[in-house]
Amino acid sequence: MPDTLRDAFLLAAGTAARLLAEPAVARHWAEPSALPAYRVSGLAGHLGLQVRYVSQLLEAPAPAGPVETLDDHYAAAAWIGAAVDDEPNVFARESGERHAQQGPATLAADVAALAGGLGAAFAAAPADRTVRLPWADRVLTLDDFLLTRMMEIVVHVDDLAVSVGVPTPASPAEVTEPVIGLLTRLAVRRHGALPLVRALSRAERAPDTVAAF
């Protein structure tokens, strides 16, 4: 049983790698995905990048400077609320497509290999290890960064599975519980507490949406 976010991230990364290796991903590679403006290839590449980012940032030295909280991190996130063709979302699609250029089989193998090597990297990283996000020039604790990537993996595993017509792989509670906790915090920040309470408890007064983004 996982004891930490680091252990949980390894489970999430393994789920992503196994889905990327599904034959249906290769069959639908060039087709539109369930996400607006994404092809399956770009979505698969974006999913794989969530594991690669962790590996790359751990290879860099621990940064100096103030550490940002998760609340501040998401408050400053330019992609939240951005339109499909706004720069943050264009960047995400293009980087996903670039990462997918290696093809579905190599991408799946790459993600599996990266996930397999992270256990030792996590064990060597101190509890207070920090990482610098190069695309935002901000610093998070490693564990907070892992939670942001776990959320991306859980959400995009579902997107990719729906896109290629396979059942969404089940994630263990050790993965889903912290992700749902993060999404709940973000939904409350966006909508307020009362709409969320109503959505969860009173169908007759539930708002149209309490989506976190």
Side-chain angles (χ1 to χ4, degrees), residues 61-190:
V67 178
E68 191 172 54
T69 67
L70 272 182
D71 287 340
D72 288 341
H73 170 70
Y74 281 107
W79 59 268
I80 296 180
V84 167
D85 290 325
D86 286 349
E87 192 278 333
N89 287 323
V90 172
F91 172 81
R93 289 197 301 276
E94 291 180 346
S95 60
E97 286 288 1
R98 284 195 299 271
H99 193 225
Q101 286 177 352
Q102 56 193 303
T106 303
L107 174 63
D110 178 60
V111 173
L114 289 170
L118 281 173
F122 288 162
D128 61 352
R129 176 65 153 93
T130 57
V131 295
R132 183 179 298 279
L133 282 55
W135 56 87
D137 195 26
R138 295 196 294 268
V139 177
L140 290 174
T141 67
L142 172 60
D143 285 4
D144 277 353
F145 181 63
L146 292 179
L147 179 53
T148 71
R149 297 311 96 187
M150 278 172 52
M151 183 270 286
E152 294 279 343
I153 288 172
V154 168
V155 169
H156 292 312
V157 158
D158 183 41
D159 291 331
L160 183 58
V162 169
S163 297
V164 302
V166 300
T168 298
S171 294
E174 293 86 358
V175 173
T176 57
E177 286 179 2
V179 167
I180 290 170
L182 173 60
L183 290 172
T184 299
R185 284 167 58 188
L186 296 174
V188 168
R189 190 190 71 187
R190 181 178 180 185

Side-chain angles (χ1 to χ4, degrees), residues 12-36:
T15 299
R18 288 189 294 275
L19 176 60
L20 288 168
E22 281 280 345
V25 174
R27 285 200 306 271
H28 295 275
W29 192 248
E31 298 175 8
S33 79
L35 291 187

